[in-house]
Amino acid sequence: MVASARPEYPRAENVRSSRNFRPIASMVAVGLVVAGIGVATNAVATGVTPVRAGAATAAATYAAVPPAVPVPSAPSLAVVAPVTTGLSPFDSTVLDAINAQRTAAGIAPLIEARGIDARSLSWSNAMATAGSSGTLSHNPQGWQTLLTSGASARTTYGENVSSWTGSPVTGFTLTNALVGNASNKNNILDPSFKYVGIGTVNGAAGSQWDTVTFTDAVDPGQIYDPALKSIPVGQLNSATLVGSTVRVTGWGYDPDTAAGPIQIQLSDTAPDGTVVTTTVTAAAVRTDVPQLTATTGNAHGLDATLPISKRGIHQICATLINAGAGSTNPNLGCLPVEVTGPIGGLDSAVLTGSTISFAGWAVDPDGPTTPTTVTVTDQGPQGTVTLPTVTADQVDANVDTSIPGVGAAHGFLAQTAATTVGTHVLCATANSLAAPARPTALGCQSVTVAAPAGAITGTTNTTNSVTVNGWALDPNAVGTASTVRVQITGPGGPVGTPSVVTASAVGTASAQQFPAAGTAHSFSLTVPTRQFGTYQVCAVANSTVDPSAGTDLGCQQVSISNVLGWLDSVKSTTGGLQVRGWALDPAYPSSAGTVSITVTGQAGTRTFQATAAQSRPDVARAFPGVGNYHGVVTSVPASGSGSNTVCLSMKAMSNQTVRQYRCLVVLVP
């Protein structure tokens, strides 16, 4: 039977002044250009020249316990689904629409064939790429190409072609438009046609091109097994270790019960070969799965949590349970999950005075309800010290919240003395029940035991003493007065043994750096001296936590001046020698000092005493504040005639140090 090669709907196939498609009105597609052809055995449709062609191709306090992360992060497995069609979703609706027309007319539905699908798709692509904007035409080699398209035994065939642009066209509106043309309708409702292939492609400027090929016979293996459409479809996405459980995600649905949830069988094969099987319902909402459509709904997600134990790699497997026709239960495959041992964390470490408190949690999946022991090391200035083992059996509600099923009694709290100044790094490991030689590191926390603080704020002196002032405190124990070791070194070496003074006097010097520590952290120390010269004053603040540690507060220098004075002149007078000069002790500026006058001559050496109490305004001007009365004016006997050497000296009032000013020589007649 032969249909018209180029029927017009609404115009002849080769006259397409308008290819814009508007919404359907009265079930007629306006602007939709279609054409149909039917060919009987050994007959050729008008205008179609059959030629042989090759086969077509297709296109320190407990912290919040964070949720566990995949261990390891498990990849999605491939979607397990039987191949039931070669058609696109649009072409599938075209087939549904054609078979609806045939069913309504009492004609058996057409069966999709693989090779004819590819042949139709190839021709639609040829139309879409012909010329600058595509050309609607029948395949001139259509009859022959069926030979290599899986229909070598065909005795008849037909072809409908169409194209459109603009508003979307559905499979049903396209089919209704085709049925409106007699030749196209004849092909759709021809009872001799048993098989069909459909292919639609996109062309230039938003155009679409469709080819429907009909025939009466196809080669073996060309049709899809209808029973495959009843086999469930799904995917295993991930298997995540969460504490002592494994969370399994995926999706699945059964085409026979697409709107309802499917049962999925999960199995856990432990390292020792033990298998635990659980059946769950896949009813979680999954909006990210392309295979879940409006027809199936999206409530087909798998999200199940199973208990897991035993060290090593577990295989988590999933199988879809067929609820409709057929008995095939597709296996979605398996994902590995490794149970690596205890989990937990060292949440905090806090220094209070001379005590370090630390807290954390630990759970061993090999015994999730059994308290785990924890080993903590203190890596500080003293080296690495292993602290006594603690048991994680304290209540930490964060654990039970984040790792359901293990209970809250997995926290640990403990303390250790901070006996050395410096940074202490506390590290914790959870001991494994199953593998004691393989503990799990829980992390580290650091605290710093501060060194004492302080400063020398000043030094003062007299001719017989040095005074040092300053402040000191231990930040680790601000309520306890610190001690300060003071060493004074003079011209002759250390002045006595180092002095230890307590910094407990009230002062404001420490408040700027430690405003919350109070003001009772000052000290003052006076040390007697016996020599004039430069003294160095040094101080070290002692730690109340670590007796071996101290903070150097630095050193300051102070100079103690000698007694002052001068021998101005010596004159030979009748009856003796007249001596003039001045002398004062800076430590006693208002007191008149006693001077010694030594005369050496032919008669030997003789020493005389005198008081430096005569008026000397010039001395008062040179040394403000000492007063006028430090002058020496006196007469002493000569030591025979001839040359006499006269020397003036003074002894300090405080330390008995003697200073000789100078000597003068005078001739006595």
Side-chain angles (χ1 to χ4, degrees):
M1 55 183 292
V2 180
S4 175
R6 293 189 177 136
E8 295 185 3
Y9 183 77
R11 297 179 178 83
E13 167 241 319
N14 59 349
V15 180
R16 293 184 288 119
S17 59
S18 172
R19 294 178 62 193
N20 296 319
F21 181 74
R22 299 201 302 268
I24 304 302
S26 301
M27 304 306 290
V28 176
V30 179
L32 176 67
V33 183
V34 298
I37 181 172
V39 181
T41 304
N42 298 323
V44 180
T46 305
V48 176
T49 304
V51 295
R52 186 175 299 279
T57 58
T61 50
Y62 293 130
V65 177
V69 295
V71 185
S73 180
S76 296
L77 297 180
V79 175
V80 175
V83 179
T84 59
T85 181
L87 300 177
S88 68
F90 175 81
D91 290 339
S92 293
T93 63
V94 173
L95 178 56
D96 291 342
I98 289 174
N99 281 335
Q101 292 285 341
R102 291 173 69 94
T103 299
I107 304 170
L110 296 171
I111 299 173
E112 178 194 357
R114 302 173 192 265
I116 310 176
D117 279 343
R119 181 259 183 207
S120 299
L121 191 66
S122 176
W123 183 245
S124 292
N125 188 63
M127 291 191 295
T129 56
S132 61
S133 58
T135 300
L136 184 68
S137 64
H138 287 295
N139 186 349
Q141 301 173 350
W143 173 257
Q144 291 298 100
T145 57
L146 287 176
L147 290 173
T148 54
S149 299
S152 61
R154 82 277 187 274
T155 61
T156 183
Y157 99 104
E159 179 185 78
N160 289 345
V161 296
S162 57
S163 68
W164 64 92
T165 59
S167 300
V169 172
T170 69
F172 282 89
T173 55
L174 174 60
T175 300
N176 288 337
L178 290 170
V179 170
N181 177 276
S183 296
N184 294 324
K185 181 176 181 180
N186 288 340
N187 285 338
I188 291 172
L189 299 180
D190 189 335
S192 67
F193 290 150
K194 308 298 183 184
Y195 302 96
V196 70
I198 307 171
T200 304
V201 300
N202 296 323
S207 63
Q208 291 184 281
W209 303 80
D210 175 78
T211 301
V212 182
T213 304
F214 307 86
T215 192
D216 62 339
V218 295
D219 301 338
Q222 287 296 306
I223 64 172
Y224 295 94
D225 184 358
L228 295 179
K229 294 185 178 181
S230 296
I231 297 177
V233 178
Q235 184 180 28
L236 180 58
N237 292 139
S238 68
T240 303
L241 185 66
V242 184
S244 60
T245 65
V246 60
R247 180 186 177 192
V248 186
T249 66
W251 59 273
Y253 74 91
D254 191 323
D256 294 326
T257 58
I262 193 175
Q263 297 291 301
I264 299 181
Q265 185 182 77
L266 301 177
S267 65
D268 170 15
T269 302
D272 61 2
T274 304
V275 180
V276 177
T277 301
T278 305
T279 299
V280 298
T281 300
V285 173
R286 289 287 298 271
T287 59
D288 59 323
V289 180
Q291 290 85 349
L292 300 180
T293 64
T295 301
T296 66
N298 55 23
H300 295 287
L302 164 66
D303 193 338
T305 299
L306 310 176
I308 190 171
S309 61
K310 299 182 180 178
R311 183 74 62 89
I313 296 177
H314 294 240
Q315 294 294 330
I316 307 301
C317 307
T319 300
L320 299 173
I321 300 176
N322 194 335
S327 58
T328 300
N329 296 324
N331 184 357
L332 300 184
C334 304
L335 289 173
V337 170
E338 184 176 8
V339 177
T340 57
I343 57 175
L346 181 60
D347 295 335
S348 63
V350 178
L351 177 66
T352 304
S354 59
T355 301
I356 302 175
S357 301
F358 53 90
W361 64 279
V363 176
D364 191 339
D366 289 326
T369 59
T370 302
T372 303
T373 58
V374 177
T375 299
V376 179
T377 59
D378 176 3
Q379 302 170 23
Q382 78 287 352
T384 299
V385 177
T386 300
L387 306 181
T389 299
V390 297
T391 301
D393 58 0
Q394 303 298 305
V395 174
D396 181 356
N398 298 317
V399 178
D400 194 35
T401 300
S402 297
I403 311 176
V406 302
H410 291 285
F412 61 87
L413 289 167
Q415 295 179 335
T416 184
T419 59
T420 53
V421 169
T423 298
H424 293 250
V425 180
L426 273 68
C427 298
T429 56
N431 302 312
S432 169
L433 296 173
R438 294 171 57 193
T440 297
L442 304 183
C444 301
Q445 297 280 350
S446 64
V447 298
T448 298
V449 179
I456 296 176
T457 57
T459 55
T460 59
N461 69 277
T462 66
T463 55
N464 64 342
S465 67
V466 172
T467 299
V468 56
N469 299 294
W471 66 274
L473 63 81
D474 190 334
N476 308 299
V478 295
T480 302
S482 297
T483 59
V484 180
R485 187 170 68 255
V486 179
Q487 175 68 67
I488 299 177
T489 303
V495 179
T497 58
S499 300
V500 176
V501 61
T502 300
S504 58
V506 174
T508 60
S510 64
Q512 183 175 359
Q513 189 170 343
F514 296 93
T519 58
H521 299 288
S522 295
F523 67 88
S524 181
L525 175 67
T526 299
V527 177
T529 60
R530 299 183 61 83
Q531 292 178 295
F532 298 111
T534 299
Y535 286 78
Q536 180 166 268
V537 183
C538 302
V540 175
N542 299 317
S543 169
T544 59
V545 173
D546 183 358
S548 65
T551 297
D552 188 350
L553 304 186
C555 300
Q556 291 191 8
Q557 288 188 343
V558 60
S559 294
I560 298 179
S561 299
N562 205 340
V563 290
L564 306 175
W566 195 245
L567 175 59
D568 293 328
S569 65
V570 177
K571 283 185 176 183
S572 175
T573 63
T574 302
L577 300 173
Q578 186 183 59
V579 178
R580 289 180 176 274
W582 63 274
L584 68 86
D585 188 336
Y588 302 92
S590 61
S591 299
T594 299
V595 298
S596 295
I597 303 170
T598 302
V599 180
T600 302
Q602 289 183 354
T605 300
R606 300 176 64 183
T607 301
F608 306 94
Q609 305 291 324
T611 300
Q614 301 300 313
S615 177
R616 286 293 298 264
D618 58 328
V619 173
R621 290 193 297 272
F623 301 98
V626 301
N628 291 337
Y629 299 98
H630 295 286
V632 176
V633 179
T634 187
S635 293
V636 297
S639 179
S641 61
S643 177
N644 278 243
T645 301
V646 180
C647 299
L648 180 67
S649 64
M650 180 177 177
K651 180 186 294 184
M653 299 181 187
S654 56
N655 58 18
Q656 305 304 304
T657 299
V658 176
R659 179 180 182 184
Q660 181 172 294
Y661 300 121
R662 74 168 178 166
C663 299
L664 294 174
V665 177
V666 62
L667 291 175
V668 177

